[in-house]
Amino acid sequence: MIKMIALYRQPKDKEKFDEHYFGTHAPITAKIPGLRKMEVTKITGTPMGGESEYYLLCEMYYDSYEAFKEAMKTSEAKASGKDLMSFAGDIVTLMVGEEVKNG
């Protein structure tokens, strides 16, 4: 499986970020054709007990890189990207990766 990963740094206003992310952005993103699973992790800190520079991680799973590329051409993906840039463009890093099985 291929996944697109969105890693968000700490927002200035966490409450406002959460409201937009969970109330608007995540529902838009969930409608992208070909998206198999979306997992969101709220970062709670570092292993040493400190505050992390990161706030949220979202992993969006697709069957293959080809399926991902096709999904990114859709109006739903474009709407998600436009929304993302409007509220978190300055704090998000996007990556694409391939799942690797151990052993």
mmCIF file of all heavy atoms in Angstrom, residues 2-53:
data_model
loop_
_atom_site.group_PDB
_atom_site.id
_atom_site.type_symbol
_atom_site.label_atom_id
_atom_site.label_comp_id
_atom_site.label_asym_id
_atom_site.label_seq_id
_atom_site.Cartn_x
_atom_site.Cartn_y
_atom_site.Cartn_z
ATOM 1 N N ILE A 2 0.327 2.281 -0.567
ATOM 2 C CA ILE A 2 0.971 3.591 -0.586
ATOM 3 C C ILE A 2 0.222 4.472 0.399
ATOM 4 O O ILE A 2 -0.997 4.379 0.524
ATOM 5 C CB ILE A 2 0.883 4.207 -2.003
ATOM 6 C CG1 ILE A 2 1.743 3.427 -2.981
ATOM 7 C CG2 ILE A 2 1.250 5.683 -2.002
ATOM 8 C CD1 ILE A 2 3.225 3.558 -2.766
ATOM 9 N N LYS A 3 0.956 5.327 1.086
ATOM 10 C CA LYS A 3 0.246 6.282 1.921
ATOM 11 C C LYS A 3 0.802 7.682 1.730
ATOM 12 O O LYS A 3 1.994 7.864 1.510
ATOM 13 C CB LYS A 3 0.217 5.887 3.382
ATOM 14 C CG LYS A 3 1.522 5.637 4.057
ATOM 15 C CD LYS A 3 1.242 5.241 5.515
ATOM 16 C CE LYS A 3 2.390 4.491 6.113
ATOM 17 N NZ LYS A 3 2.152 4.185 7.507
ATOM 18 N N MET A 4 -0.112 8.613 1.787
ATOM 19 C CA MET A 4 0.269 10.009 1.824
ATOM 20 C C MET A 4 0.229 10.400 3.291
ATOM 21 O O MET A 4 -0.725 10.060 4.000
ATOM 22 C CB MET A 4 -0.685 10.868 1.018
ATOM 23 C CG MET A 4 -0.309 12.322 1.006
ATOM 24 S SD MET A 4 -1.179 13.150 -0.312
ATOM 25 C CE MET A 4 -1.311 14.765 0.383
ATOM 26 N N ILE A 5 1.258 11.073 3.725
ATOM 27 C CA ILE A 5 1.390 11.446 5.136
ATOM 28 C C ILE A 5 1.398 12.965 5.243
ATOM 29 O O ILE A 5 2.147 13.631 4.525
ATOM 30 C CB ILE A 5 2.694 10.875 5.726
ATOM 31 C CG1 ILE A 5 2.707 9.345 5.569
ATOM 32 C CG2 ILE A 5 2.863 11.296 7.183
ATOM 33 C CD1 ILE A 5 4.086 8.734 5.613
ATOM 34 N N ALA A 6 0.563 13.474 6.109
ATOM 35 C CA ALA A 6 0.547 14.907 6.408
ATOM 36 C C ALA A 6 1.004 15.066 7.850
ATOM 37 O O ALA A 6 0.381 14.518 8.765
ATOM 38 C CB ALA A 6 -0.851 15.485 6.218
ATOM 39 N N LEU A 7 2.093 15.792 8.044
ATOM 40 C CA LEU A 7 2.652 16.018 9.366
ATOM 41 C C LEU A 7 2.548 17.505 9.674
ATOM 42 O O LEU A 7 3.099 18.334 8.951
ATOM 43 C CB LEU A 7 4.110 15.552 9.406
ATOM 44 C CG LEU A 7 4.862 15.693 10.727
ATOM 45 C CD1 LEU A 7 4.166 14.909 11.845
ATOM 46 C CD2 LEU A 7 6.299 15.214 10.562
ATOM 47 N N TYR A 8 1.827 17.821 10.728
ATOM 48 C CA TYR A 8 1.551 19.214 11.092
ATOM 49 C C TYR A 8 2.386 19.636 12.289
ATOM 50 O O TYR A 8 2.414 18.938 13.302
ATOM 51 C CB TYR A 8 0.070 19.377 11.471
ATOM 52 C CG TYR A 8 -0.886 19.061 10.362
ATOM 53 C CD1 TYR A 8 -1.305 17.754 10.132
ATOM 54 C CD2 TYR A 8 -1.382 20.068 9.541
ATOM 55 C CE1 TYR A 8 -2.200 17.458 9.113
ATOM 56 C CE2 TYR A 8 -2.278 19.787 8.516
ATOM 57 C CZ TYR A 8 -2.678 18.476 8.306
ATOM 58 O OH TYR A 8 -3.554 18.181 7.297
ATOM 59 N N ARG A 9 3.027 20.793 12.183
ATOM 60 C CA ARG A 9 3.712 21.378 13.328
ATOM 61 C C ARG A 9 2.667 22.009 14.256
ATOM 62 O O ARG A 9 1.498 22.120 13.904
ATOM 63 C CB ARG A 9 4.737 22.417 12.850
ATOM 64 C CG ARG A 9 5.934 21.757 12.150
ATOM 65 C CD ARG A 9 6.992 22.749 11.717
ATOM 66 N NE ARG A 9 6.547 23.725 10.743
ATOM 67 C CZ ARG A 9 6.354 23.480 9.451
ATOM 68 N NH1 ARG A 9 6.545 22.267 8.971
ATOM 69 N NH2 ARG A 9 5.962 24.437 8.630
ATOM 70 N N GLN A 10 3.095 22.425 15.414
ATOM 71 C CA GLN A 10 2.183 23.014 16.398
ATOM 72 C C GLN A 10 1.498 24.263 15.817
ATOM 73 O O GLN A 10 2.174 25.188 15.371
ATOM 74 C CB GLN A 10 2.952 23.420 17.662
ATOM 75 C CG GLN A 10 3.527 22.266 18.444
ATOM 76 C CD GLN A 10 2.487 21.496 19.236
ATOM 77 O OE1 GLN A 10 1.380 21.960 19.499
ATOM 78 N NE2 GLN A 10 2.842 20.283 19.621
ATOM 79 N N PRO A 11 0.170 24.290 15.810
ATOM 80 C CA PRO A 11 -0.528 25.498 15.346
ATOM 81 C C PRO A 11 -0.517 26.575 16.429
ATOM 82 O O PRO A 11 -0.386 26.266 17.614
ATOM 83 C CB PRO A 11 -1.952 24.999 15.093
ATOM 84 C CG PRO A 11 -2.115 23.835 16.003
ATOM 85 C CD PRO A 11 -0.750 23.209 16.150
ATOM 86 N N LYS A 12 -0.686 27.817 16.016
ATOM 87 C CA LYS A 12 -0.734 28.921 16.988
ATOM 88 C C LYS A 12 -1.954 28.794 17.890
ATOM 89 O O LYS A 12 -1.893 29.030 19.076
ATOM 90 C CB LYS A 12 -0.764 30.259 16.255
ATOM 91 C CG LYS A 12 0.554 30.613 15.610
ATOM 92 C CD LYS A 12 0.512 31.993 14.975
ATOM 93 C CE LYS A 12 1.857 32.332 14.379
ATOM 94 N NZ LYS A 12 1.907 32.148 12.942
ATOM 95 N N ASP A 13 -3.089 28.397 17.300
ATOM 96 C CA ASP A 13 -4.345 28.257 18.042
ATOM 97 C C ASP A 13 -4.855 26.821 17.852
ATOM 98 O O ASP A 13 -5.485 26.498 16.854
ATOM 99 C CB ASP A 13 -5.360 29.281 17.527
ATOM 100 C CG ASP A 13 -6.673 29.267 18.296
ATOM 101 O OD1 ASP A 13 -7.019 28.233 18.916
ATOM 102 O OD2 ASP A 13 -7.370 30.296 18.255
ATOM 103 N N LYS A 14 -4.559 25.960 18.823
ATOM 104 C CA LYS A 14 -4.908 24.538 18.710
ATOM 105 C C LYS A 14 -6.410 24.323 18.617
ATOM 106 O O LYS A 14 -6.880 23.471 17.856
ATOM 107 C CB LYS A 14 -4.333 23.762 19.892
ATOM 108 C CG LYS A 14 -2.830 23.695 19.869
ATOM 109 C CD LYS A 14 -2.288 22.978 21.096
ATOM 110 C CE LYS A 14 -0.777 23.036 21.096
ATOM 111 N NZ LYS A 14 -0.207 22.424 22.278
ATOM 112 N N GLU A 15 -7.184 25.064 19.379
ATOM 113 C CA GLU A 15 -8.637 24.898 19.370
ATOM 114 C C GLU A 15 -9.216 25.237 17.989
ATOM 115 O O GLU A 15 -10.041 24.490 17.462
ATOM 116 C CB GLU A 15 -9.268 25.786 20.445
ATOM 117 C CG GLU A 15 -10.746 25.518 20.654
ATOM 118 C CD GLU A 15 -11.315 26.326 21.814
ATOM 119 O OE1 GLU A 15 -10.700 26.345 22.895
ATOM 120 O OE2 GLU A 15 -12.377 26.939 21.599
ATOM 121 N N LYS A 16 -8.761 26.326 17.420
ATOM 122 C CA LYS A 16 -9.232 26.738 16.095
ATOM 123 C C LYS A 16 -8.787 25.732 15.029
ATOM 124 O O LYS A 16 -9.550 25.376 14.134
ATOM 125 C CB LYS A 16 -8.700 28.136 15.771
ATOM 126 C CG LYS A 16 -9.239 28.727 14.506
ATOM 127 C CD LYS A 16 -8.751 30.159 14.325
ATOM 128 C CE LYS A 16 -9.248 30.735 13.017
ATOM 129 N NZ LYS A 16 -8.722 32.079 12.768
ATOM 130 N N PHE A 17 -7.547 25.247 15.144
ATOM 131 C CA PHE A 17 -7.033 24.240 14.227
ATOM 132 C C PHE A 17 -7.893 22.982 14.284
ATOM 133 O O PHE A 17 -8.335 22.471 13.256
ATOM 134 C CB PHE A 17 -5.575 23.894 14.559
ATOM 135 C CG PHE A 17 -5.005 22.801 13.687
ATOM 136 C CD1 PHE A 17 -4.330 23.116 12.528
ATOM 137 C CD2 PHE A 17 -5.154 21.461 14.045
ATOM 138 C CE1 PHE A 17 -3.812 22.105 11.710
ATOM 139 C CE2 PHE A 17 -4.641 20.452 13.246
ATOM 140 C CZ PHE A 17 -3.962 20.775 12.074
ATOM 141 N N ASP A 18 -8.116 22.465 15.498
ATOM 142 C CA ASP A 18 -8.912 21.239 15.665
ATOM 143 C C ASP A 18 -10.316 21.405 15.099
ATOM 144 O O ASP A 18 -10.842 20.495 14.452
ATOM 145 C CB ASP A 18 -9.008 20.849 17.136
ATOM 146 C CG ASP A 18 -7.717 20.238 17.677
ATOM 147 O OD1 ASP A 18 -6.772 20.012 16.889
ATOM 148 O OD2 ASP A 18 -7.667 19.993 18.897
ATOM 149 N N GLU A 19 -10.920 22.556 15.355
ATOM 150 C CA GLU A 19 -12.259 22.807 14.864
ATOM 151 C C GLU A 19 -12.309 22.714 13.340
ATOM 152 O O GLU A 19 -13.181 22.056 12.772
ATOM 153 C CB GLU A 19 -12.708 24.196 15.334
ATOM 154 C CG GLU A 19 -14.147 24.518 15.036
ATOM 155 C CD GLU A 19 -14.523 25.880 15.617
ATOM 156 O OE1 GLU A 19 -14.511 26.034 16.852
ATOM 157 O OE2 GLU A 19 -14.797 26.786 14.801
ATOM 158 N N HIS A 20 -11.340 23.346 12.681
ATOM 159 C CA HIS A 20 -11.324 23.303 11.217
ATOM 160 C C HIS A 20 -10.906 21.926 10.704
ATOM 161 O O HIS A 20 -11.528 21.385 9.789
ATOM 162 C CB HIS A 20 -10.400 24.381 10.636
ATOM 163 C CG HIS A 20 -10.514 24.452 9.146
ATOM 164 N ND1 HIS A 20 -11.400 25.284 8.523
ATOM 165 C CD2 HIS A 20 -9.902 23.760 8.168
ATOM 166 C CE1 HIS A 20 -11.324 25.103 7.216
ATOM 167 N NE2 HIS A 20 -10.410 24.183 6.975
ATOM 168 N N TYR A 21 -9.890 21.354 11.304
ATOM 169 C CA TYR A 21 -9.383 20.066 10.826
ATOM 170 C C TYR A 21 -10.459 18.980 10.903
ATOM 171 O O TYR A 21 -10.758 18.316 9.921
ATOM 172 C CB TYR A 21 -8.135 19.628 11.608
ATOM 173 C CG TYR A 21 -7.560 18.369 11.031
ATOM 174 C CD1 TYR A 21 -6.659 18.412 9.978
ATOM 175 C CD2 TYR A 21 -7.966 17.119 11.496
ATOM 176 C CE1 TYR A 21 -6.172 17.255 9.404
ATOM 177 C CE2 TYR A 21 -7.479 15.960 10.926
ATOM 178 C CZ TYR A 21 -6.591 16.028 9.880
ATOM 179 O OH TYR A 21 -6.123 14.871 9.305
ATOM 180 N N PHE A 22 -11.026 18.814 12.094
ATOM 181 C CA PHE A 22 -11.989 17.721 12.288
ATOM 182 C C PHE A 22 -13.382 18.055 11.762
ATOM 183 O O PHE A 22 -14.117 17.156 11.359
ATOM 184 C CB PHE A 22 -12.040 17.325 13.765
ATOM 185 C CG PHE A 22 -10.755 16.696 14.228
ATOM 186 C CD1 PHE A 22 -9.869 17.403 15.030
ATOM 187 C CD2 PHE A 22 -10.417 15.407 13.848
ATOM 188 C CE1 PHE A 22 -8.662 16.837 15.444
ATOM 189 C CE2 PHE A 22 -9.222 14.827 14.258
ATOM 190 C CZ PHE A 22 -8.337 15.547 15.055
ATOM 191 N N GLY A 23 -13.749 19.333 11.747
ATOM 192 C CA GLY A 23 -15.079 19.718 11.295
ATOM 193 C C GLY A 23 -15.202 19.954 9.814
ATOM 194 O O GLY A 23 -16.279 19.782 9.232
ATOM 195 N N THR A 24 -14.088 20.347 9.158
ATOM 196 C CA THR A 24 -14.133 20.686 7.741
ATOM 197 C C THR A 24 -13.153 19.864 6.908
ATOM 198 O O THR A 24 -13.555 19.195 5.950
ATOM 199 C CB THR A 24 -13.819 22.199 7.541
ATOM 200 O OG1 THR A 24 -14.771 22.960 8.282
ATOM 201 C CG2 THR A 24 -13.881 22.585 6.073
ATOM 202 N N HIS A 25 -11.874 19.912 7.264
ATOM 203 C CA HIS A 25 -10.853 19.310 6.407
ATOM 204 C C HIS A 25 -10.950 17.785 6.326
ATOM 205 O O HIS A 25 -10.922 17.225 5.227
ATOM 206 C CB HIS A 25 -9.451 19.730 6.847
ATOM 207 C CG HIS A 25 -8.403 19.247 5.903
ATOM 208 N ND1 HIS A 25 -8.300 19.737 4.616
ATOM 209 C CD2 HIS A 25 -7.441 18.307 6.035
ATOM 210 C CE1 HIS A 25 -7.316 19.110 4.002
ATOM 211 N NE2 HIS A 25 -6.771 18.234 4.840
ATOM 212 N N ALA A 26 -11.017 17.112 7.450
ATOM 213 C CA ALA A 26 -11.065 15.645 7.437
ATOM 214 C C ALA A 26 -12.275 15.120 6.654
ATOM 215 O O ALA A 26 -12.128 14.185 5.863
ATOM 216 C CB ALA A 26 -11.030 15.083 8.853
ATOM 217 N N PRO A 27 -13.473 15.704 6.812
ATOM 218 C CA PRO A 27 -14.608 15.225 6.008
ATOM 219 C C PRO A 27 -14.414 15.429 4.499
ATOM 220 O O PRO A 27 -14.832 14.578 3.703
ATOM 221 C CB PRO A 27 -15.791 16.048 6.528
ATOM 222 C CG PRO A 27 -15.416 16.399 7.935
ATOM 223 C CD PRO A 27 -13.925 16.615 7.880
ATOM 224 N N ILE A 28 -13.772 16.531 4.096
ATOM 225 C CA ILE A 28 -13.479 16.755 2.671
ATOM 226 C C ILE A 28 -12.515 15.679 2.180
ATOM 227 O O ILE A 28 -12.717 15.060 1.135
ATOM 228 C CB ILE A 28 -12.875 18.161 2.438
ATOM 229 C CG1 ILE A 28 -13.907 19.251 2.703
ATOM 230 C CG2 ILE A 28 -12.312 18.282 1.015
ATOM 231 C CD1 ILE A 28 -13.333 20.663 2.709
ATOM 232 N N THR A 29 -11.453 15.451 2.944
ATOM 233 C CA THR A 29 -10.426 14.482 2.566
ATOM 234 C C THR A 29 -10.984 13.067 2.500
ATOM 235 O O THR A 29 -10.640 12.296 1.600
ATOM 236 C CB THR A 29 -9.244 14.551 3.558
ATOM 237 O OG1 THR A 29 -8.738 15.892 3.552
ATOM 238 C CG2 THR A 29 -8.136 13.597 3.185
ATOM 239 N N ALA A 30 -11.865 12.727 3.408
ATOM 240 C CA ALA A 30 -12.442 11.372 3.455
ATOM 241 C C ALA A 30 -13.228 11.028 2.189
ATOM 242 O O ALA A 30 -13.434 9.851 1.895
ATOM 243 C CB ALA A 30 -13.335 11.226 4.682
ATOM 244 N N LYS A 31 -13.629 12.034 1.426
ATOM 245 C CA LYS A 31 -14.410 11.808 0.202
ATOM 246 C C LYS A 31 -13.555 11.534 -1.026
ATOM 247 O O LYS A 31 -14.088 11.272 -2.101
ATOM 248 C CB LYS A 31 -15.298 13.030 -0.068
ATOM 249 C CG LYS A 31 -16.384 13.232 0.955
ATOM 250 C CD LYS A 31 -17.191 14.480 0.651
ATOM 251 C CE LYS A 31 -18.225 14.728 1.747
ATOM 252 N NZ LYS A 31 -18.920 15.998 1.561
ATOM 253 N N ILE A 32 -12.226 11.575 -0.904
ATOM 254 C CA ILE A 32 -11.359 11.363 -2.063
ATOM 255 C C ILE A 32 -11.523 9.932 -2.571
ATOM 256 O O ILE A 32 -11.345 8.975 -1.814
ATOM 257 C CB ILE A 32 -9.876 11.650 -1.713
ATOM 258 C CG1 ILE A 32 -9.692 13.117 -1.336
ATOM 259 C CG2 ILE A 32 -8.962 11.272 -2.889
ATOM 260 C CD1 ILE A 32 -8.309 13.467 -0.834
ATOM 261 N N PRO A 33 -11.875 9.770 -3.852
ATOM 262 C CA PRO A 33 -12.027 8.424 -4.416
ATOM 263 C C PRO A 33 -10.719 7.636 -4.335
ATOM 264 O O PRO A 33 -9.638 8.186 -4.563
ATOM 265 C CB PRO A 33 -12.394 8.692 -5.885
ATOM 266 C CG PRO A 33 -12.947 10.076 -5.900
ATOM 267 C CD PRO A 33 -12.190 10.813 -4.825
ATOM 268 N N GLY A 34 -10.810 6.376 -3.976
ATOM 269 C CA GLY A 34 -9.632 5.520 -3.890
ATOM 270 C C GLY A 34 -8.956 5.521 -2.535
ATOM 271 O O GLY A 34 -8.088 4.696 -2.274
ATOM 272 N N LEU A 35 -9.351 6.435 -1.652
ATOM 273 C CA LEU A 35 -8.793 6.466 -0.306
ATOM 274 C C LEU A 35 -9.338 5.261 0.460
ATOM 275 O O LEU A 35 -10.537 5.112 0.625
ATOM 276 C CB LEU A 35 -9.176 7.768 0.407
ATOM 277 C CG LEU A 35 -8.713 7.933 1.853
ATOM 278 C CD1 LEU A 35 -7.188 7.984 1.926
ATOM 279 C CD2 LEU A 35 -9.314 9.189 2.455
ATOM 280 N N ARG A 36 -8.454 4.375 0.900
ATOM 281 C CA ARG A 36 -8.876 3.139 1.576
ATOM 282 C C ARG A 36 -9.039 3.308 3.080
ATOM 283 O O ARG A 36 -9.891 2.670 3.694
ATOM 284 C CB ARG A 36 -7.866 2.023 1.311
ATOM 285 C CG ARG A 36 -7.792 1.619 -0.115
ATOM 286 C CD ARG A 36 -9.094 0.945 -0.519
ATOM 287 N NE ARG A 36 -9.074 0.664 -1.937
ATOM 288 C CZ ARG A 36 -10.118 0.795 -2.735
ATOM 289 N NH1 ARG A 36 -11.267 1.217 -2.246
ATOM 290 N NH2 ARG A 36 -10.024 0.519 -4.002
ATOM 291 N N LYS A 37 -8.186 4.144 3.662
ATOM 292 C CA LYS A 37 -8.201 4.296 5.118
ATOM 293 C C LYS A 37 -7.517 5.611 5.445
ATOM 294 O O LYS A 37 -6.584 6.026 4.767
ATOM 295 C CB LYS A 37 -7.447 3.116 5.747
ATOM 296 C CG LYS A 37 -7.337 3.157 7.249
ATOM 297 C CD LYS A 37 -6.780 1.856 7.833
ATOM 298 C CE LYS A 37 -5.382 1.536 7.406
ATOM 299 N NZ LYS A 37 -4.756 0.459 8.196
ATOM 300 N N MET A 38 -7.994 6.269 6.489
ATOM 301 C CA MET A 38 -7.379 7.503 6.952
ATOM 302 C C MET A 38 -7.212 7.398 8.460
ATOM 303 O O MET A 38 -8.189 7.192 9.172
ATOM 304 C CB MET A 38 -8.266 8.694 6.575
ATOM 305 C CG MET A 38 -7.654 10.032 6.842
ATOM 306 S SD MET A 38 -8.552 11.353 6.008
ATOM 307 C CE MET A 38 -9.618 11.897 7.325
ATOM 308 N N GLU A 39 -5.973 7.489 8.932
ATOM 309 C CA GLU A 39 -5.689 7.394 10.362
ATOM 310 C C GLU A 39 -5.069 8.708 10.827
ATOM 311 O O GLU A 39 -4.115 9.192 10.222
ATOM 312 C CB GLU A 39 -4.709 6.258 10.653
ATOM 313 C CG GLU A 39 -5.265 4.892 10.336
ATOM 314 C CD GLU A 39 -4.297 3.770 10.629
ATOM 315 O OE1 GLU A 39 -3.062 3.982 10.590
ATOM 316 O OE2 GLU A 39 -4.779 2.660 10.891
ATOM 317 N N VAL A 40 -5.622 9.256 11.897
ATOM 318 C CA VAL A 40 -5.143 10.523 12.451
ATOM 319 C C VAL A 40 -4.587 10.270 13.847
ATOM 320 O O VAL A 40 -5.226 9.612 14.663
ATOM 321 C CB VAL A 40 -6.284 11.568 12.507
ATOM 322 C CG1 VAL A 40 -5.800 12.867 13.137
ATOM 323 C CG2 VAL A 40 -6.852 11.814 11.112
ATOM 324 N N THR A 41 -3.393 10.796 14.096
ATOM 325 C CA THR A 41 -2.737 10.666 15.395
ATOM 326 C C THR A 41 -2.440 12.052 15.936
ATOM 327 O O THR A 41 -1.817 12.863 15.246
ATOM 328 C CB THR A 41 -1.409 9.891 15.262
ATOM 329 O OG1 THR A 41 -1.670 8.608 14.678
ATOM 330 C CG2 THR A 41 -0.724 9.735 16.612
ATOM 331 N N LYS A 42 -2.892 12.329 17.142
ATOM 332 C CA LYS A 42 -2.536 13.586 17.789
ATOM 333 C C LYS A 42 -1.260 13.324 18.583
ATOM 334 O O LYS A 42 -1.210 12.432 19.425
ATOM 335 C CB LYS A 42 -3.655 14.072 18.700
ATOM 336 C CG LYS A 42 -3.495 15.544 19.075
ATOM 337 C CD LYS A 42 -4.701 16.091 19.786
ATOM 338 C CE LYS A 42 -5.623 16.761 18.792
ATOM 339 N NZ LYS A 42 -6.669 17.543 19.466
ATOM 340 N N ILE A 43 -0.218 14.087 18.293
ATOM 341 C CA ILE A 43 1.076 13.923 18.944
ATOM 342 C C ILE A 43 0.974 14.495 20.361
ATOM 343 O O ILE A 43 0.581 15.644 20.540
ATOM 344 C CB ILE A 43 2.193 14.641 18.155
ATOM 345 C CG1 ILE A 43 2.169 14.262 16.664
ATOM 346 C CG2 ILE A 43 3.547 14.387 18.797
ATOM 347 C CD1 ILE A 43 2.399 12.819 16.353
ATOM 348 N N THR A 44 1.322 13.686 21.352
ATOM 349 C CA THR A 44 1.160 14.113 22.746
ATOM 350 C C THR A 44 2.463 14.538 23.405
ATOM 351 O O THR A 44 2.448 15.055 24.517
ATOM 352 C CB THR A 44 0.506 12.999 23.581
ATOM 353 O OG1 THR A 44 1.308 11.818 23.483
ATOM 354 C CG2 THR A 44 -0.901 12.710 23.082
ATOM 355 N N GLY A 45 3.593 14.290 22.757
ATOM 356 C CA GLY A 45 4.865 14.698 23.336
ATOM 357 C C GLY A 45 6.010 13.887 22.787
ATOM 358 O O GLY A 45 5.847 13.097 21.860
ATOM 359 N N THR A 46 7.170 14.058 23.401
ATOM 360 C CA THR A 46 8.362 13.314 23.006
ATOM 361 C C THR A 46 8.592 12.162 23.988
ATOM 362 O O THR A 46 8.025 12.168 25.083
ATOM 363 C CB THR A 46 9.603 14.237 23.026
ATOM 364 O OG1 THR A 46 9.869 14.607 24.381
ATOM 365 C CG2 THR A 46 9.407 15.481 22.161
ATOM 366 N N PRO A 47 9.423 11.196 23.633
ATOM 367 C CA PRO A 47 9.701 10.094 24.552
ATOM 368 C C PRO A 47 10.305 10.551 25.876
ATOM 369 O O PRO A 47 10.150 9.879 26.899
ATOM 370 C CB PRO A 47 10.695 9.214 23.776
ATOM 371 C CG PRO A 47 10.424 9.520 22.348
ATOM 372 C CD PRO A 47 10.043 10.969 22.315
ATOM 373 N N MET A 48 10.949 11.713 25.866
ATOM 374 C CA MET A 48 11.569 12.216 27.094
ATOM 375 C C MET A 48 10.607 13.074 27.919
ATOM 376 O O MET A 48 10.990 13.639 28.936
ATOM 377 C CB MET A 48 12.817 13.037 26.757
ATOM 378 C CG MET A 48 13.875 12.236 26.013
ATOM 379 S SD MET A 48 14.431 10.757 26.884
ATOM 380 C CE MET A 48 15.427 11.492 28.159
ATOM 381 N N GLY A 49 9.354 13.171 27.475
ATOM 382 C CA GLY A 49 8.354 13.888 28.247
ATOM 383 C C GLY A 49 8.154 15.344 27.870
ATOM 384 O O GLY A 49 7.323 16.028 28.459
ATOM 385 N N GLY A 50 8.892 15.820 26.896
ATOM 386 C CA GLY A 50 8.757 17.212 26.484
ATOM 387 C C GLY A 50 7.666 17.399 25.442
ATOM 388 O O GLY A 50 7.063 16.435 24.960
ATOM 389 N N GLU A 51 7.436 18.653 25.102
ATOM 390 C CA GLU A 51 6.461 18.953 24.060
ATOM 391 C C GLU A 51 7.117 18.758 22.697
ATOM 392 O O GLU A 51 8.247 19.166 22.469
ATOM 393 C CB GLU A 51 5.957 20.394 24.186
ATOM 394 C CG GLU A 51 4.874 20.707 23.168
ATOM 395 C CD GLU A 51 4.305 22.114 23.287
ATOM 396 O OE1 GLU A 51 5.059 23.025 23.651
ATOM 397 O OE2 GLU A 51 3.118 22.280 22.989
ATOM 398 N N SER A 52 6.403 18.139 21.783
ATOM 399 C CA SER A 52 6.905 17.909 20.440
ATOM 400 C C SER A 52 6.700 19.149 19.590
ATOM 401 O O SER A 52 5.763 19.917 19.808
ATOM 402 C CB SER A 52 6.156 16.731 19.808
ATOM 403 O OG SER A 52 6.519 16.591 18.449
ATOM 404 N N GLU A 53 7.552 19.331 18.582
ATOM 405 C CA GLU A 53 7.329 20.414 17.623
ATOM 406 C C GLU A 53 6.165 20.064 16.698
ATOM 407 O O GLU A 53 5.648 20.913 15.979
ATOM 408 C CB GLU A 53 8.588 20.724 16.822
ATOM 409 C CG GLU A 53 8.999 19.619 15.869
ATOM 410 C CD GLU A 53 10.258 19.945 15.089
ATOM 411 O OE1 GLU A 53 10.191 20.793 14.180
ATOM 412 O OE2 GLU A 53 11.298 19.345 15.382
#
